Amino acid sequence: MYTASIRRSTSRNAVALSLAAALLALMSVLTGAAPAQAASGTSQTVSNVDSGWATVAAGANLQKAPYGACGTVTHISASTKVWLWCTVENDYGNLWAWVRIDGTQTYGWAYYGDFTDGDLSDTSYWCPGEPS
């Protein structure tokens, strides 16, 4: 009786895990289709609420989420112009911007400390769900 209960529980867990994996795969396809819906690797919603721009100082990595330890989308060379969309503050209190590299359709998270000039005085263009 105990063995049958474990088998049923294990079988239910396997079905639940399979459904969860399928749902995650579907979500990654949907969120990858439009950068304005969600950033890859994070559930943070983004929106183009800022028409500002910035220049990357000495080169930096464009991240998949607003943390230095997250996966890298690409490397941004020094003096590259990026278009700012919106800002978040991560759990460490660091400001990050969802950006598009000028002249491309490449999007990702860039750390504000990597910017040298541009429209940096106003960081109040918060991404949806962030403090305002």
Side-chain angles (χ1 to χ4, degrees), residues 76-99:
I76 308 171
S77 300
S79 302
T80 298
K81 182 177 184 178
V82 295
W83 292 98
L84 307 171
W85 275 43
C86 62
T87 302
V88 299
E89 183 177 328
N90 70 13
D91 294 337
Y92 299 104
N94 298 319
L95 289 178
W96 290 74
W98 179 255
V99 303

Side-chain angles (χ1 to χ4, degrees), residues 2 10 44 61 74 86 124 128:
Y2 181 71
T10 303
Q44 174 66 51
N61 288 329
T74 190
C86 62
S124 66

Side-chain angles (χ1 to χ4, degrees), residues 43-111:
S43 60
Q44 174 66 51
T45 302
V46 298
S47 180
N48 192 359
V49 295
D50 185 352
S51 61
W53 59 274
T55 302
V56 176
N61 288 329
L62 191 64
Q63 300 298 117
K64 293 181 178 181
Y67 294 90
C70 291
T72 300
V73 175
T74 190
H75 182 78
I76 308 171
S77 300
S79 302
T80 298
K81 182 177 184 178
V82 295
W83 292 98
L84 307 171
W85 275 43
C86 62
T87 302
V88 299
E89 183 177 328
N90 70 13
D91 294 337
Y92 299 104
N94 298 319
L95 289 178
W96 290 74
W98 179 255
V99 303
R100 178 181 60 82
I101 299 174
D102 188 46
T104 75
Q105 292 299 311
T106 304
Y107 298 85
W109 292 102
Y111 174 57

Side-chain angles (χ1 to χ4, degrees), residues 14-24:
V15 169
L17 286 173
S18 295
L19 289 173
L23 182 59
L24 284 173

